[in-house]
Amino acid sequence: MILLGISLVAQQKDDLKLWYKNSSGTVWENAAPIGNGFQGAMVYGNVEKEIFQLNEASVWSGSPNRNDNPDAKNALSEIRRLIFQKEYKKAEKRINENIITKKSHGQMFQPVGNLELDFLNHQNFTDYYRELDIEKAVAKTVYKIQGVAYTREAFMSFSDRVLVIKLSADEPGKLSFTVAFTSEHKKQEIKVENNNELSLSGTTSDHEGIDGKVNFNALAKFKVNGGGIKSIGNSIKIEGADSVLIYVSIASNFINYDDISGNEKELAKSFWTRHLIKSITI
C-alpha cells in the first residue's frame, strides 16, 4: 500500500506531454492530434506554413441509403442447413449471392480541409520546440526569430465546439501572416465573408454508386490585438499584430442516419457566436 501511494504521487507530479525538437513537415503521423469528440485537428507545428488539418465527425462520403441485401432473410435457412451439413463451399456461395450487399459496402470518412497560416521570412528560426500537453489537451509550438519569441497554442473547446488558436509574440507588432482554407473536395467554395471571416463550404464525394450529399461548412473568425486585418482574394492577411485569436467552427447538414436536412451554415455560425466565445482564453 505504501509503495502504491508513492507511485501515484510521483505520477501526479510528472507532466503528461509529448514533445519534439522538430516540426511535422508534411508527415501526417507526426502531427499532434487535438479534438473534442465532434471536431478534430492535426497540428503540424511548421514554422513557415502552419497547417491545421480539420475533421468533423459527420463528414462522410455518400448519403443515407440501404445497403442490406433484400434476399438475405429468405436464404438464411438454406445457408444454415448447408453449414450444418458441412457443405461450406455451397454455403459460402449462397452467402455471397444473398447476404453480402449488392450495393455500397460502406462509406469513407473524409477530412474537411486545412487551415493554413503562411509566415513570410520565418525560415531562419532558432530554439524550436513543440509539445502536446495530454493533460490539458493543448498543442503548443514555440520558436525564436531575431530574438523575438513566438508562441502558438491550440485546443478544441468541448462546450463551444470550436477550434481555438492563439498566436503571440513577446514584442509588440511582430505578428504578420496570411490565413487561408484549402480542401481536396471536388465540390467546394472558399470565400471571405464580412471582410474578416473565412468560409469553406463543400459537399462530400460519391462512393460505390451512392451520391455524396453531406454538406459542410467551416468558418474561421479572428480577434486581432494590435495591427490590422484585411482580405486578399480568398484569404485573410494580418499585419503588425501583438496577438491573434482564431476560432474555427465546423458543422454539416447531418442530423441522423437517415436525415441530412440540417442547415450547416447556420449551425457552424452559431458555434462561434455563443457568448462564451467572447471570453475564451488560453
Side-chain angles (χ1 to χ4, degrees), residues 4-17 135:
L4 179 59
I6 293 173
S7 176
L8 288 174
V9 171
Q11 288 178 9
Q12 289 171 357
K13 290 183 178 179
D14 290 340
D15 291 330
L16 193 59
K17 295 180 180 180
E135 182 179 359

Side-chain angles (χ1 to χ4, degrees), residues 199-252:
S199 172
L200 164 61
S201 299
T203 303
T204 57
S205 304
D206 304 343
H207 184 60
E208 291 192 350
I210 307 301
D211 293 338
K213 295 181 181 180
V214 177
N215 300 324
F216 61 85
N217 185 215
L219 295 174
K221 189 176 180 65
F222 304 84
K223 291 181 71 174
V224 179
N225 179 26
I229 180 171
K230 62 182 179 180
S231 61
I232 300 178
N234 294 327
S235 63
I236 294 290
K237 187 175 182 62
I238 294 168
E239 295 181 297
D242 303 336
S243 62
V244 179
L245 280 171
I246 307 174
Y247 307 110
V248 182
S249 62
I250 311 171
S252 79

Side-chain angles (χ1 to χ4, degrees), residues 1 9-10 37 40 45 63 131 154-155 158 190 255 266 274:
M1 292 297 292
V9 171
S63 52
E131 69 177 26
F155 74 95
F158 177 81
I190 298 172
I255 295 177
E266 290 299 320
R274 294 177 181 178

